Amino acid sequence: MGSEQLLEALAIDIAREAGELARRRRTEGVAIAATKSSIADIVTDADREVEELIRRRLRVERPGDGFLGEESAAERATTGVTWVVDPIDGTVNYAYGIPAYAVSIAAVAGEPEPARWEALAGAVFSPATGETFHAARGAGAWLDGVRLAVNAEPSPAGALLATGFGYDPATHAGDLARVARVMPLARDLRRIGSASLDLAYVAAGRLDGYFERGLAPWDHAAGALLVAEAGGRFVRVDMDDNPVRALFVASGPAIFDSLFAAALGP
Ligand code: LIP
C-alpha cells in the first residue's frame, strides 16, 4: 500500500468514528453553541466535539502533521502533510435534523492553501446513509469498495446540477443571478446543503455538476479529490468583486466548459 493509500485508510477510519459520534449526538439532541460570520452561520456543540475527536486521533496516529479545521486553531506541519477537516459539513441540515451532512477529512501536501496544496487522500462519510466516499491520489475514487466515475454525458433532458448559498444575505442576489444563468443547461437543480456531499455525488454520477461561491478550504478539500479521481474536473477561481468568495465548479468533462462559462458570467 502506497503512502497516499495509508493516509486514505486513516481518513476513512477516523471519518467513520467521528461520524458515529455526530450521529449519536444528533439522536440525543443538538445544542447551538454559537454563531460565527452571521446569525445564520451556526456551530453546534457536536461540531466542536467531533473536531476534537478527529484532532486527538491524528495527534496519536500522525504526530507532526498539520491541522486546518473549521472549528479550532490551525497547526503547521513539520512533516509536510496537513489534515483539512470539516467535522460536520452541512451544520444547518444537522441542526434541523435533515440527514444530509458529512464528515470530510483530507490530507494535503505543501502549503495548506487550496491554490497551492496537493491533495493526497480524502474521505467523506455520510453518517445518515453509512456511505464512505474515499480517494487517494492516482488510485481512483471509491464508494465502499465500488469504483466511482463521473457522468460522461448528461441526459438529453439536461444536466442535474447542485449549488449552494453563503451565510451572508448580501451575496444572495448575485448567487441567484448565477442560478438564472446556469438553469438553461439544467434539467433541475438541487440544494443539498453540504458541499462535500455535493462533490461526492458528482464523483458518484448522482449529479452531473455543482457550482458555488465562497466555500472554505475544509468544505471542498476531500470532495475535490473525489471528483478528480472519478475523472471529473474541479476548478476554483478567484473573483475580482470579492476575493474571499472564490467560485467553485465541478462536473464531468462533457458539460464543464458550458457550466463554467454560465457560472462565471460576463
Ligand atoms: C456549508 C457548505 C455548503 C454551503 C453552506 C456552508 P458548513 O458548510 O457545505 O455548501 O452552501 O453555506 O458553507 O458551514 O455546514 O460546514
Side-chain angles (χ1 to χ4, degrees):
M1 199 187 265
S3 59
E4 281 98 337
Q5 282 158 307
L6 287 171
L7 295 170
E8 178 190 24
L10 184 57
I12 292 169
D13 187 58
I14 297 176
R16 286 175 176 162
E17 182 186 351
E20 283 315 314
L21 174 61
R23 199 177 54 72
R24 230 178 16 256
R25 292 291 179 261
R26 181 51 258 179
T27 60
E28 296 161 359
V30 171
I32 309 297
T35 59
K36 300 189 285 184
S37 63
S38 79
I39 191 168
D41 184 4
I42 57 169
V43 57
T44 69
D45 288 345
D47 286 271
R48 292 174 173 169
E49 188 186 3
V50 171
E51 181 152 318
E52 190 38 45
L53 178 154
I54 295 169
R55 212 166 180 157
R56 219 175 26 248
R57 285 281 314 265
L58 289 169
R59 275 199 206 102
V60 171
E61 319 242 3
R62 296 280 311 184
D65 283 2
F67 190 88
L68 180 62
E70 179 166 9
E71 310 302 352
S72 58
E75 197 173 322
R76 286 200 67 79
T78 57
T79 60
V81 173
T82 296
W83 295 85
V84 185
V85 170
D86 193 333
I88 301 180
D89 184 35
T91 298
V92 174
N93 284 349
Y94 182 77
Y96 276 80
I98 298 172
Y101 62 92
V103 178
S104 178
I105 300 179
V108 302
E111 279 304 306
E113 282 166 39
R116 298 168 64 188
W117 70 36
E118 249 194 278
L120 302 173
V124 172
F125 176 63
S126 164
T129 62
E131 293 176 312
T132 311
F133 302 85
H134 54 95
R137 184 178 58 173
W142 304 79
L143 169 55
D144 298 325
V146 177
R147 185 144 194 177
L148 300 177
V150 295
N151 289 340
E153 283 294 335
S155 113
L160 184 60
L161 300 173
T163 193
F165 304 90
Y167 293 119
D168 175 2
T171 63
H172 291 169
D175 290 344
L176 288 170
R178 180 167 307 97
V179 169
R181 288 195 306 269
V182 167
M183 271 320 274
L185 302 173
R187 71 180 299 155
D188 204 341
L189 191 69
R190 297 288 178 268
R191 198 314 186 218
I192 293 169
S194 165
S196 58
L197 285 180
D198 289 317
L199 292 165
Y201 290 176
V202 170
R206 294 177 184 177
L207 292 168
D208 294 303
Y210 162 71
F211 59 99
E212 183 165 359
R213 278 192 73 170
L215 296 179
W218 38 78
D219 293 327
H220 63 83
L225 181 65
L226 287 167
V227 170
E229 286 295 326
R233 290 185 61 187
F234 173 89
V235 162
R236 172 191 175 280
V237 182
D238 287 320
M239 304 289 278
D240 303 339
D241 64 342
N242 186 342
V244 293
R245 292 195 79 233
L247 173 66
F248 298 84
V249 179
S251 78
I255 65 164
F256 186 84
D257 293 341
S258 49
L259 176 59
F260 181 66
L264 190 63

